Amino acid sequence: MLSKVITISQQKGGSGKTTLAVHLALAFIKYHNLKVAVIDTDPQGSLGKWFMIRTEKKIPNDNLTFKTASLWGAQYESKTLKKDHDIVIIDTPPKIESDARPSIESADLVLIPIAASHVDFWATGAIVEIAKKANKKILIQINRSSQRSKLITKTNEFIKSLDLSATKTIIGNRQIFAASMGEGKTAVEKQKKSNAVEEIKNLSEQILSEIKQ
Ligand SMILES: Nc1ncnc2c1ncn2[C@@H]1O[C@H](COP(=O)(O)OP(=O)(O)OP(=O)(O)O)[C@@H](O)[C@H]1O
Ligand SMILES: [Mg+2]
């Protein structure tokens, strides 16, 4: 058992936390043969809705565990789950500065999704501060952006200004991420080979090598 916890956090709503949580979970299962648990701490319950559709449609959940918890409860829940899971992914709600600590405390890695946009840069400071204070490994994930975007240089400058690093994989703005989740699936279950699949696969490899260090 690897027994590692990844917390996906970002106060900006709609930055891709839940999308990354489920896609990484399925990529760890499919490409790395790992046992994964996902914890939904968001009262909006989007992850839970996705899991419910999966269950109703009888989509196989081999090696996948789903739990809900409060942000406080996530600390206990992740501690328990990591005993018999390789990876535990905590999906968090937006606007969480005040009670983000327990979910950050539990993490071996804090993944912060941002778009190549100043609006996202402005929203990132609080969570970075909490994760830094807790002495956590932090990775920024550029989501819904193109390598060719003029704002990528600005984004990289911003990440550097926080003395942080981003993952090497930029996740593109791809409809399959949204469409597959609406069916209770993920892009990696819907497609064998595509840009979306490549991106998520590469990302899962990089994140694994980071948390194994
Ligand atoms: N890379 C992407 N390409 C296309 N659509 C995306 C991508 N990432 C996220 N989305 C879409 O953007 C919307 C917000 O994504 P998601 O729900 O994952 O964000 P979130 O950070 O979890 O939001 P919240 O803060 O409300 O929990 C969803 O409709 C999702 O399908
Ligand atoms: Mg979400």
Side-chain angles (χ1 to χ4, degrees):
M1 286 289 138
L2 275 176
S3 301
K4 299 286 187 187
V5 179
I6 301 169
T7 297
I8 307 184
S9 210
Q10 157 67 285
Q11 77 174 96
K12 170 107 181 16
S15 56
K17 297 178 285 293
T18 304
T19 303
L20 288 170
V22 301
H23 279 85
L24 277 174
L26 268 296
F28 289 140
I29 294 169
K30 186 165 177 181
Y31 306 120
H32 307 279
N33 205 19
L34 297 176
K35 197 170 170 204
V36 181
V38 284
I39 307 178
D40 188 3
T41 63
D42 185 356
Q44 291 179 106
S46 353
L47 211 160
K49 177 82 189 156
W50 170 83
F51 192 79
M52 214 167 76
I53 301 173
R54 262 182 103 74
T55 311
E56 278 165 7
K57 290 190 165 182
K58 300 192 169 51
I59 298 166
N61 283 322
D62 302 334
N63 287 327
L64 178 68
T65 303
F66 169 79
K67 293 273 179 192
T68 57
S70 65
L71 273 166
W72 281 95
Q75 200 163 27
Y76 170 79
E77 199 65 71
S78 60
K79 214 172 172 176
T80 309
L81 284 167
K82 76 181 192 180
K83 288 182 190 151
D84 57 354
H85 289 80
D86 294 295
I87 309 272
V88 179
I89 299 175
I90 305 178
D91 182 24
T92 63
K95 298 194 188 75
I96 58 164
E97 294 110 283
S98 55
D99 38 12
R101 272 174 206 88
S103 66
I104 299 292
E105 284 291 341
S106 313
D108 294 289
L109 172 72
V110 179
L111 190 67
I112 304 177
I114 62 168
S117 143
H118 287 85
V119 181
D120 279 41
F121 303 167
W122 299 330
T124 305
I127 200 72
V128 168
E129 205 171 298
I130 293 169
K132 276 189 174 172
K133 266 197 189 135
N135 238 336
K136 296 295 171 180
K137 186 178 271 190
I138 305 168
L139 274 180
I140 302 283
Q141 177 56 52
I142 306 176
N143 182 39
R144 250 187 143 160
S145 307
S146 158
Q147 183 78 60
R148 293 190 301 275
S149 158
K150 287 196 183 106
L151 277 166
I152 284 293
T153 313
K154 283 262 173 273
T155 309
N156 285 325
E157 283 169 14
F158 168 73
I159 294 165
K160 236 179 163 178
S161 77
L162 293 176
D163 201 19
L164 294 177
S165 354
T167 66
K168 289 195 235 39
T169 313
I170 293 174
I171 304 289
N173 184 9
R174 308 196 187 282
Q175 214 192 331
I176 187 68
F177 289 124
S180 58
M181 282 183 68
E183 297 173 30
K185 285 196 166 181
T186 54
V188 302
E189 291 161 291
K190 289 280 290 177
Q191 302 180 327
K192 265 218 166 85
K193 212 169 178 240
S194 69
N195 289 327
V197 168
E198 272 313 292
E199 286 166 1
I200 293 296
K201 197 173 171 193
N202 290 342
L203 183 60
S204 69
E205 278 159 16
Q206 192 191 348
I207 287 183
L208 268 188
S209 78
E210 291 279 348
I211 55 177
K212 278 180 182 167
Q213 276 170 29

